[in-house]
Amino acid sequence: MDSAEEHNTEERTDLGMTSAAIDPAILSVVSVDVVALTYDVSARRVLVATHARETEPYRGERALPGVVVRSGERLREAALRAVAKLGIDVPPSALGQLQTFDEPSRDPRGPSLSIAMWATFWNDERIHTPHTLWEPLDHAPALVFDHSTIVTTARRLLAERLWRDLDFTRGLTGAEFTATDAVAITRQLTDAEVHRANLNRDLARIDVLTEAGVAPTSGGRPPKLWRWAADDAGLLPPGRSDLA
């Protein structure tokens, strides 16, 4: 969760019930926290977005963007509200659900559940805002609440999706990428060494991915260039989601 004013009695009773009508023993706030990622081609780094909280608790400290889910709100809508806290006004290239975190003491304000979501953005100037700090995913800063745990878990789960979940993968790589980019992304998500030739063979087996020559280079052997096949929307519809 990311906003103290949202995590109050009104949010807990937004179904039209008064606090007297609710048994506190069964009450738990539901929030959405977003692990927003981009790939910086120039630095060859997968980056995760955080921001400085504007309210207590932990005012001024780093956290993932998050919101309390409103009555009748879909997870996608809540995730987009959370991303807006970063000052990013473009939709994610892809969006999906990760895992629910239910440690009872995860929030000092009271019991809560966090539904962690992932979002990918193509790296351009529109996502670099004064409210956003992009940090390497494999060297993410210490975060408040259980957000460090969420980032660590997200890295592991998204490593399993890479090159298998095409929405996530294309949302991270963009329309085309080099073999060097593929190695860098894979290494940073899996925290393991990557054999370039084996990875290229794996990429060649993906039906909607085609080899598009080699990338320009200032020296050495030029890397293979890979390009995603365009679909009806060009590549990916803005904000495409794997949510039901």
Side-chain angles (χ1 to χ4, degrees):
M1 269 164 295
D2 196 55
S3 177
E5 64 268 24
E6 287 185 318
H7 196 161
N8 58 21
T9 304
E10 291 182 1
E11 284 286 355
R12 293 169 178 264
T13 60
D14 63 1
L15 294 177
M17 297 179 287
T18 66
S19 56
I22 302 174
D23 181 353
I26 63 172
L27 184 64
S28 186
V29 170
V30 177
S31 64
V32 161
D33 294 302
V34 180
V35 180
L37 302 176
T38 192
Y39 177 62
D40 184 342
V41 175
S42 61
R44 294 203 170 96
R45 304 291 293 187
V46 178
L47 307 177
V48 61
T50 66
H51 73 136
R53 284 179 50 78
E54 296 181 350
T55 58
E56 296 293 350
Y58 308 124
R59 183 172 184 174
E61 299 189 53
R62 309 304 301 189
L64 296 174
V67 294
V68 171
V69 179
R70 294 169 175 165
S71 176
E73 187 175 37
R74 303 295 297 270
L75 295 180
R76 170 182 167 78
E77 295 167 348
L80 294 178
R81 281 199 300 117
V83 167
K85 292 188 173 185
L86 300 173
I88 298 174
D89 61 3
V90 295
S93 51
L95 178 68
Q97 186 174 337
L98 278 168
Q99 180 173 305
T100 299
F101 293 80
D102 61 355
E103 167 57 47
S105 61
R106 61 176 302 276
D107 190 316
R109 292 168 292 190
S112 71
L113 300 175
S114 171
I115 301 173
M117 308 283 287
W118 60 264
T120 56
F121 291 88
W122 294 333
N123 189 36
D124 63 35
E125 67 279 358
R126 295 174 297 174
I127 70 169
H128 294 276
T129 74
H131 302 286
T132 308
L133 177 65
W134 291 98
E135 296 273 13
L137 178 64
D138 54 353
H139 291 88
L143 303 176
V144 297
F145 301 113
D146 57 351
H147 291 184
S148 290
T149 299
I150 291 176
V151 170
T152 299
T153 303
R155 185 183 179 194
R156 174 177 56 81
L157 295 177
L158 293 175
E160 297 171 359
R161 288 177 177 257
L162 187 63
W163 313 119
R164 295 177 175 85
D165 181 329
L166 300 189
D167 281 357
F168 166 68
T169 305
R170 293 191 296 183
L172 190 60
T173 65
E176 62 182 28
F177 58 93
T178 68
T180 303
D181 295 324
V183 169
I185 292 170
T186 303
R187 180 182 294 125
Q188 288 162 55
L189 285 179
T190 64
D191 196 26
E193 288 303 312
V194 180
H195 191 284
R196 183 186 294 258
N198 289 344
L199 180 56
N200 274 323
R201 283 192 288 271
D202 290 341
L203 298 181
R205 297 189 185 101
I206 300 175
D207 291 341
V208 294
L209 192 59
T210 59
E211 191 175 335
V214 295
T217 182
S218 57
R221 184 178 179 180
K224 286 184 179 181
L225 184 66
W226 294 96
R227 182 173 296 139
W228 295 103
D231 57 21
D232 292 341
L235 177 61
L236 285 176
R240 183 169 177 174
S241 171
D242 65 0
L243 300 178

